[in-house]
Amino acid sequence: MRLVVATQLRGNAPKKERAKMFLHVGNNRNIMLKEIVGVFDLDTSTVSADTKRFLKESEKNGTTENAVLELPKSFVLTDDGKVIFSQISTASLMGRV
């Protein structure tokens, strides 16, 4: 499973700068880096029954958001429990950090 944890996303930037940094996940949707818990590859992470169940529950509870016009390749989990689907691969998202 491809998982990128928030500490990797935030890097060594000073705390003041991290608060202002955003990750563009597609379709004019930006997420503050400090809010990101993880970035997940949709192909590999949905092999797990737990992840499938989590995504179904999130959709049922209305905490999912689509930043896609095509099929999603990844999803971003935020600290408030939102799941944002993106058509951008995890590798490309990480290249933007």
Side-chain angles (χ1 to χ4, degrees):
M1 172 172 62
R2 171 105 177 156
L3 162 67
V4 181
V5 292
T7 53
Q8 290 174 310
L9 289 172
R10 295 179 188 134
N12 295 325
K15 196 173 194 176
K16 196 174 194 180
E17 289 180 25
R18 284 191 304 238
K20 299 176 186 175
M21 296 173 74
F22 290 86
L23 176 65
H24 179 261
V25 294
N27 203 22
N28 294 321
R29 180 66 166 95
N30 297 302
I31 305 168
M32 289 184 73
L33 285 182
K34 69 178 186 175
E35 296 176 353
I36 296 175
V37 174
V39 178
F40 302 87
D41 182 272
L42 207 51
D43 289 333
T44 56
S45 63
T46 53
V47 172
S48 165
D50 292 332
T51 306
K52 286 181 187 177
R53 186 172 41 255
F54 171 74
L55 292 174
K56 284 181 185 178
E57 286 295 318
S58 296
E59 190 171 4
K60 191 168 105 175
N61 296 334
T63 57
T64 59
E65 191 177 313
N66 283 317
V68 295
L69 299 174
E70 301 173 11
L71 288 174
K73 295 180 182 174
S74 61
F75 67 94
V76 178
L77 178 63
T78 62
D79 59 1
D80 62 354
K82 282 187 182 175
V83 175
I84 297 118
F85 292 101
S86 175
Q87 65 194 30
I88 302 168
S89 71
T90 54
S92 294
L93 288 173
M94 291 311 303
R96 296 176 179 200
V97 176

